[in-house]
Amino acid sequence: MPKPASTARLRAARLAAHGLRDGLPSITDAVRRLGAVQAQDFVAAKWVLGARVPGSVAADVDAALESRDVVRSWPMRGTLHILPTEQLRPILWITGPRELRRAALTHRTLELDDETYLRARAVAERVLADGAMSREQLTAAWEDAGISTAGQRGYHLIWWLALEAVICCGPVDGRTQRFVLLDDWAPQQGALPERDEILAGLFTSYVAGHGPVTVQDFAWWAGLTLGDARTALAAAGDAVVAFDAERVVVADAGWAADPDAAAPRAAGRHALAAFDEYFLGYRDRAPVCEPLHAGRVVPGGNGVFQPILVAGGAVEGLWKVARARGGASVALHGFDGDLEPARYRSALARWARFTGERLDAVTTA
């Protein structure tokens, strides 16, 4: 077994896996490379993908979703993700029951039982058969049918239906999407694979877009037990290989299992989105961000990730946008002192082109 790799080598490998070193051809390619992209913040998720596709614009993400090659739903960890459409049902078959068991107490507190769910499902299937609906329209249909959506009941009914592969997010509507029946939006093609095959495919796709990774990283990212994660590693077989004593990469990644082998330098500067997989997608984030500073990316541990600045594969600060008079100004917040604005202007210009905004001042906070 090879010894642990240097931090520099690991960061170089991750930049390459994420598509941040050389770029990826399209938004769909970026989704497939990463396996899934956390996307409860729809605008941020678009830049997660756009940052990996040179020359792309936000409308390209909308087009990928409208093409139905990728889809946005709740496949893992109880939160929204964008993922390849054909992977949604297989993943939900594994993760859905586990997520619903975890939500049992919340559902009892909200007085959401199986009978209520089945009534809500029948209403949703009836009204969505006529076409896509906004969240407000769907919850109004439930209210009209005598099903209360007060508090978090409406959200949890939508989430429950998504976990059961009944609905998903469909047509893009400005900064959000309308809901559709999954069977109408993306009809199932053939029978689901065997469980171990699904786990192997999910693991391999995660490693391809995030590697080098540990089994523990994968278990956290997919919201699976460590036992399932180990099964996934075993089922992946020779599709993955050792990167060092703790981590694996995909077999065709081009990284020899030799930490002393020559490797490209971890280079370049990136202004990455809130919730970007480069930081978020791991249980152990220490290789790319000093633990002393990691709390600033997720202030108060509240699950709300901030946009990050990455230099040479290391997270070295945050960035914040202020909009006025039709333009966007950006303040850089360095973890270890001020950052030179000129060094990030090119990266921020790519973001501004993607969003269609005019980049004004770039300053240190």
Side-chain angles (χ1 to χ4, degrees):
M1 177 66 71
K3 65 185 180 183
S6 70
T7 299
R9 180 176 172 80
L10 187 148
R11 290 173 179 170
R14 284 195 178 167
L15 287 172
H18 277 265
L20 292 169
R21 187 185 72 186
D22 301 317
L24 296 169
S26 72
I27 296 298
T28 297
D29 287 316
V31 175
R32 293 190 182 283
R33 170 65 69 86
L34 292 170
V37 173
Q38 188 164 318
Q40 76 269 40
D41 185 329
F42 191 31
V43 173
K46 290 183 180 184
W47 178 232
V48 172
L49 296 168
R52 291 155 170 82
V53 183
S56 62
V57 295
D60 294 332
V61 181
D62 296 345
L65 289 162
E66 294 279 4
S67 76
R68 311 186 190 189
D69 289 334
V70 302
V71 67
R72 185 165 168 250
S73 192
W74 283 264
M76 300 183 303
R77 302 199 310 274
T79 195
L80 281 157
H81 286 74
I82 297 173
L83 71 162
T85 301
E86 72 276 7
Q87 295 299 317
L88 178 57
R89 284 184 180 84
I91 293 173
L92 285 175
W93 184 62
I94 291 177
T95 62
R98 176 175 169 81
E99 290 298 324
L100 286 172
R101 287 195 298 272
R102 290 166 54 133
L105 177 58
T106 299
H107 286 177
R108 285 197 297 272
T109 302
L110 294 172
E111 298 182 346
L112 292 176
D113 55 18
D114 289 344
E115 180 183 352
T116 304
Y117 165 74
L118 290 173
R119 289 175 57 212
R121 176 171 178 165
V123 171
E125 290 177 328
R126 174 173 55 81
V127 299
L128 291 175
D130 294 328
M133 300 181 76
S134 68
R135 176 174 175 174
E136 291 74 20
Q137 290 171 325
L138 181 54
T139 54
W142 284 330
E143 291 285 350
D144 289 344
I147 303 171
S148 172
T149 61
Q152 289 293 306
R153 283 172 59 94
Y155 172 83
H156 273 270
L157 285 171
I158 289 171
W159 180 69
W160 195 339
L161 286 166
L163 288 179
E164 294 277 4
V166 177
I167 66 173
C168 67
C169 299
V172 177
D173 186 8
R175 294 170 67 91
T176 185
Q177 291 174 272
R178 288 175 285 154
F179 291 108
V180 292
L181 294 173
L182 179 58
D183 283 344
D184 290 344
W185 186 252
Q188 184 170 344
Q189 304 296 319
L192 292 178
E194 294 295 326
R195 193 173 193 278
D196 283 7
E197 184 180 347
I198 296 171
L199 286 171
L202 183 59
F203 182 71
T204 303
S205 65
Y206 170 69
V207 177
H210 294 75
V213 298
T214 65
V215 170
Q216 290 81 2
D217 288 328
F218 172 68
W220 179 88
W221 179 82
L224 297 172
T225 66
L226 193 54
D228 274 342
R230 289 172 176 146
T231 297
L233 171 62
D238 58 9
V240 299
V241 295
F243 176 78
D244 63 13
E246 300 174 348
R247 300 174 179 88
V248 297
V249 291
V250 288
D252 59 357
W255 293 90
D258 176 3
D260 296 320
R265 187 168 62 90
R269 285 184 168 80
H270 305 275
L272 300 182
F275 301 96
D276 194 281
E277 292 285 322
Y278 188 75
F279 177 87
L280 177 147
Y282 306 87
R283 182 176 183 272
D284 179 10
R285 296 159 183 154
V288 300
C289 184
E290 291 291 338
L292 177 66
H293 303 310
R296 296 179 62 180
V297 182
V298 197
N302 61 4
V304 179
F305 290 67
Q306 303 301 305
I308 56 175
L309 299 168
V310 176
V315 180
E316 66 171 6
L318 310 174
W319 56 290
K320 185 174 182 179
V321 180
R323 294 175 173 87
R325 297 183 295 277
S329 297
V330 176
L332 310 182
H333 300 255
F335 291 153
D336 292 314
D338 290 344
L339 300 174
E340 175 55 51
R343 294 182 177 180
Y344 277 100
R345 186 150 192 108
S346 178
L348 290 165
R350 294 193 294 272
W351 162 79
R353 181 187 182 282
F354 177 84
T355 60
E357 299 185 74
R358 186 187 74 233
L359 181 62
D360 289 340
V362 179
T363 61
T364 55

